[in-house]
Amino acid sequence: MALLEVRDLHVEFDTPDGVVHAVRGLSLDVERGATLAVVGESGSGKSVATQTITGLTRGARVRGSAVFDGTELLGAPEETLRRVRGAQIGMIFQDPLSSLHPYYPVGWQVVEMIRAHDRSVSKAAARERAVELLALVGIPRARQRVDDYPHQFSGGMRQRVMIAMAVALDPALLIADEPTTALDVTVQAQVLEVMQQLQERFGTAIVIITHDLGVVADLADDVVVMYGGRAMEVAPRRELFYGPHHPYTEGLLRSLPSRGEPGARLTPVPGAPPSLIDPPAGCPFRPRCPHAFADCHDQPPLRPVPGAPGHLSACFLPTTRTAGGAPPAAAVHELQEAP
Ligand SMILES: Nc1ncnc2c1ncn2[C@@H]1O[C@H](COP(=O)(O)OP(=O)(O)OP(=O)(O)O)[C@@H](O)[C@H]1O
Ligand code: SF4
Ligand SMILES: [Mg+2]
């Protein structure tokens, strides 16, 4: 059994304009100790899906199932969710300032986090653990800096503090929602490396939401490609880059700027994302798909690609078309740079 098993997750919001179908039947597995990358353009439901799993989506109608380590999280009492959040599932967001309290020293916040889950830990022991954690995520002079306030840290250092808080209780799963988007490129790489080191040391599973296919190439074991609140394709990383099946994934890979080519430009997938209030019938990608045909007026199920274990695609095109297909040059470049 996977560490996290999400099945047929639906999340809807009532708005003055109508019902927003933010997530429409998402299923995914996160294996223990593995990294799952979630990609897809803005508004595809990545954040709503992951926040719903941890009970952080307010005012939504939720259906489906999300079983974490044997416990059903959807509809679980707030007390259960509070226990799971932090202790078993750590979370990191794009903007650490929104999660760190501006008026308290960072060390104090780590101490509170630890003691909120276990009152038997003394303040002194929790503080010592806070210093250790800050050192572990690469904050220089951690013992002195433990009493500094969030504004006294750079963006990259604040993100390290967030990671320290997220892993303070040794969670089995870390959910990182675009953890490096707000950072410059060098700092991004450092923060990702910290996450990878923690994963190797503690065997933490990671769900990373990212717009950066370079991050996927570096970090992911498996990838989920979301579109219009659904998974369009699920595959092991190499399989996704070398043998994508879904036309939307192909479009995303084509939009990848090759790092090696000076002046290479990102070419987004042409067309607009689907309306979430009035989703198109049939395949949600149909209005933008260069291969659409009559069958696509029905909803394609997410089905296995034969001969490719762990590879699923929600597209009616024959699954044989991926065989031997050359990956886009930029994707090869990303993979060659990956470990
Ligand atoms: N509280 C809410 N009420 C109404 N609609 C919402 C609410 N929260 C999110 N949505 C809508 O749900 C859809 C999915 O949002 P979500 O934040 O999950 O997208 P995302 O894939 O994380 O995008 P991004 O890459 O920009 O972060 C969006 O259309 C968003 O406007
Ligand atoms: S099901 Fe049809 S419209 Fe949808 S991605 Fe496949 S070919 Fe394109
Ligand atoms: Mg988001």
Side-chain angles (χ1 to χ4, degrees), residues 13-15 20-23 40-49 51 57-60 94 177-178 209 211 226 276:
F13 297 97
D14 287 322
T15 72
V20 173
H21 302 265
V23 180
E41 62 199 355
S42 192
S44 55
K46 306 180 296 294
S47 299
V48 168
Q51 286 172 15
T57 316
R58 308 266 174 245
Q94 181 174 334
D177 192 344
E178 303 195 40
I209 299 175
H211 282 267
M226 283 189 70
L276 298 178

Side-chain angles (χ1 to χ4, degrees), residues 4-8 26-30 36 38 53 207 224 226 234:
L4 174 66
E5 291 187 353
V6 178
R7 293 290 174 271
D8 201 26
L26 177 69
S27 297
L28 55 83
D29 284 350
V30 182
L36 177 74
V38 182
I53 292 163
V207 172
V224 174
M226 283 189 70
V234 180

